[in-house]
């Protein structure tokens, strides 16, 4: 909702006349009523613009705390008209068809951009800006370049618990392996309203066993068995990524078939899916999974040791990881 400069909310965000150009599939529903818009404006101002809540309709609403710099390498669903890096400006072409950008360049001693060519995609450090046309019909970027890496953000967003305890970390063995077999399992107790997960990693030659267990710390309102399963998978995938194991042939086993089916679904989450309690954690896993060369999610039947007397060492490796 905020302006590109991150200092205020434009007035057209409060009356339904503005619509973001988004790649998401938005649900079609009846327009809000007048009282709904009044309550919407009231609550937004109470949350983010409390210092100057009483502004006239049609005025910019200043944020109490301006937004910080843009994160680069971030997946954005809103399509902006212009982006910039330190020396290059990209302006979206108006023609229909595949998205491409007019590329404008500048020198350090000039404050405007001159058209140079066309680009089919944006560099990872480009962030949205607004532009102004100068007298000589060159473009001026209204905002200075300023983006920061989102590695710190990912480090904290991708972990649901700060109490993760990793045992038997054999990183050298895992790095030298051709393939890794992993298994994650989550559990939830509705009586105590507590959840936890456990995951294990081992090479395809059954070396370098590494395991981790931790409680799931999240809003109790959204805590359930599915979130416990997803929390374990996200912690596992985050560990693999952070340790430089993204180029390995990796299979992640889980005894929740619905979780496996959801993660194997290639479609991006729609706006309706984002309303689900686990949508944030599913999106986080899928985003990280795209950085891996080969990362497969597979189902393994759980609790096979309950009614089966097969000796432990004779069971398949995924089953042993699941019941160990």
């Amino acid at each position: 909702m905020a302006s590109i400069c991150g200092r205020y909310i434009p007035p057209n965000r409060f009356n339904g006349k503005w619509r973001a150009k988004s790649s998401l599939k938005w649900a079609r529903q009846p327009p809000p009523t007048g009282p709904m818009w009044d309550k919407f404006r009231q609550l937004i101002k109470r949350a983010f613009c409390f210092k100057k809540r009483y502004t006239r309709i049609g005025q910019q609403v200043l944020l109490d705390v301006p937004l910080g710099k843009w994160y680069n390498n971030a997946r954005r669903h809103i399509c902006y008209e212009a982006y910039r890096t330190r020396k290059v400006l990209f302006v979206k072409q108006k023609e229909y068809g595949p998205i491409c950008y007019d590329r404008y360049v500048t020198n350090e001693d000039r404050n405007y951009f001159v058209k140079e060519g066309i680009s089919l995609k944006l560099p990872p450090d480009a962030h949205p800006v607004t532009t102004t046309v100068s007298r000589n019909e060159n473009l001026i970027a209204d905002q200075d370049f300023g983006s920061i890496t989102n590695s710190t953000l990912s480090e904290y967003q991708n972990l649901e618990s700060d109490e993760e305890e990793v045992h038997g970390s054999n990183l050298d063995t895992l790095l030298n392996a051709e393939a890794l077999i992993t298994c994650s399992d989550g559990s939830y107790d509705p009586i105590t309203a507590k959840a936890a997960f456990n995951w294990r990693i081992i090479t395809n030659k059954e070396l370098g066993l590494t395991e981790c267990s931790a409680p799931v710390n999240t809003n109790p309102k959204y805590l359930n068995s599915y979130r416990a399963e997803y929390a374990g998978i996200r912690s596992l995938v985050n560990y693999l990524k952070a340790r430089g194991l993204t180029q390995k042939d990796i299979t992640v086993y889980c005894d929740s078939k619905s979780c496996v089916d959801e993660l194997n679904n290639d479609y991006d989450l729609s706006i309706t899916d984002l309303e689900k309690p686990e949508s944030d954690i599913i999106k986080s896993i899928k985003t990280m999974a795209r950085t891996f060369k080969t990362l497969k999610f597979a189902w393994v039947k759980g609790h096979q040791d309950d009614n089966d007397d097969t000796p432990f060492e004779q069971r398949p490796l995924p089953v042993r990881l699941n019941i160990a």
Side-chain angles (χ1 to χ4, degrees):
M1 288 182 64
S3 61
I4 286 182
C5 66
R7 299 189 186 95
Y8 62 89
I9 300 177
N12 63 352
R13 278 26 172 203
F14 290 110
N15 55 20
K17 295 181 179 179
W18 172 81
R19 182 174 181 177
K21 297 179 180 178
S22 171
S23 58
L24 294 177
K25 297 179 180 178
W26 293 83
R28 299 185 64 86
Q29 55 189 7
T33 62
M36 289 179 180
W37 280 114
D38 292 338
K39 182 60 68 173
F40 175 73
R41 286 189 289 266
Q42 177 188 358
L43 295 177
I44 289 293
K45 292 177 181 180
R46 183 182 299 175
F48 303 107
C49 316
F50 191 82
K51 293 179 180 178
K52 196 175 180 181
R53 254 170 61 201
Y54 302 103
T55 55
R56 296 178 181 177
I57 295 178
Q59 287 185 329
Q60 297 174 354
V61 181
L62 295 177
L63 296 173
D64 292 342
V65 180
L67 301 182
K69 294 182 178 181
W70 292 89
Y71 285 104
N72 58 35
N73 287 310
R75 289 172 58 87
R76 300 186 178 97
H77 69 87
I78 296 179
C79 304
Y80 296 91
E81 295 298 320
Y83 302 78
R84 72 164 299 174
T85 61
R86 192 173 300 279
K87 294 185 178 182
V88 184
L89 179 68
F90 302 87
V91 179
K92 182 175 173 291
Q93 291 188 346
K94 305 297 183 182
E95 290 81 4
Y96 294 99
I99 295 178
C100 59
Y101 304 87
D102 291 324
R103 184 174 67 248
Y104 296 76
V105 296
T106 185
N107 293 326
E108 292 290 347
D109 58 343
R110 295 190 296 179
N111 62 354
Y112 59 86
F113 293 82
V114 180
K115 187 174 181 179
E116 180 191 63
I118 296 176
S119 292
L120 298 179
K121 62 180 182 178
L122 298 169
D125 58 339
H127 65 78
V129 293
T130 55
T131 60
T132 303
V133 180
S134 65
R135 293 180 180 178
N136 56 1
E137 297 186 353
N138 292 318
L139 287 182
I140 299 174
D142 298 332
Q143 291 82 31
D144 294 332
F145 173 72
S147 67
I148 57 178
T149 179
N150 65 347
S151 59
T152 303
L153 177 71
S154 299
E155 178 180 350
Y156 291 100
Q157 280 189 338
N158 291 335
L159 294 177
E160 186 124 29
S161 169
D162 57 359
E163 303 176 41
E164 295 186 5
E165 193 172 345
V166 179
H167 298 280
S169 182
N170 300 290
L171 185 56
D172 290 340
T173 303
L174 301 181
L175 287 170
N176 292 325
E178 295 181 0
L180 300 176
I181 308 298
T182 72
C183 185
S184 177
D185 191 18
S187 61
Y188 170 68
D189 185 352
I191 298 177
T192 62
K194 292 184 178 180
F197 64 79
N198 176 274
W199 53 254
R200 297 179 177 88
I201 308 172
I202 200 168
T203 70
N204 57 324
K205 296 182 180 180
E206 302 192 26
L207 300 173
L209 177 64
T210 303
E211 56 184 328
C212 170
S213 60
V216 179
N217 298 323
T218 190
N219 189 335
K221 179 180 178 181
Y222 305 116
L223 191 57
N224 53 40
S225 59
Y226 292 107
R227 194 165 190 90
E229 295 283 5
Y230 285 124
I233 295 173
R234 182 169 66 173
S235 170
L236 169 61
V237 175
N238 183 76
Y239 180 89
L240 294 168
K241 180 180 178 182
R243 270 64 181 182
L245 298 166
T246 57
Q247 299 303 306
K248 303 296 180 182
D249 185 357
I250 302 172
T251 303
V252 178
Y253 286 94
C254 175
D255 60 10
S256 173
K257 194 172 188 305
S258 59
C259 291
V260 171
D261 291 342
E262 179 64 44
L263 294 176
N264 283 328
N265 186 343
D266 293 333
Y267 296 104
D268 289 331
L269 296 176
S270 67
I271 194 65
T272 304
D273 294 329
L274 293 176
E275 296 177 355
K276 298 178 181 179
E278 299 82 34
S279 62
D280 60 328
I281 199 168
I282 295 172
K283 183 177 180 181
S284 175
I285 296 171
K286 287 188 173 184
T287 299
M288 286 191 291
R290 293 188 181 99
T291 66
F292 285 74
K293 179 181 178 181
T294 304
L295 182 64
K296 296 173 288 187
F297 298 99
W299 177 70
V300 58
K301 184 179 179 181
H303 308 287
Q304 293 193 34
D305 55 334
D306 290 349
N307 300 307
D308 188 346
D309 296 330
T310 303
F312 179 82
E313 60 276 4
Q314 295 181 13
R315 300 176 187 270
L317 178 57
V319 176
R320 279 183 277 146
L321 292 176
N322 178 258
I323 66 178

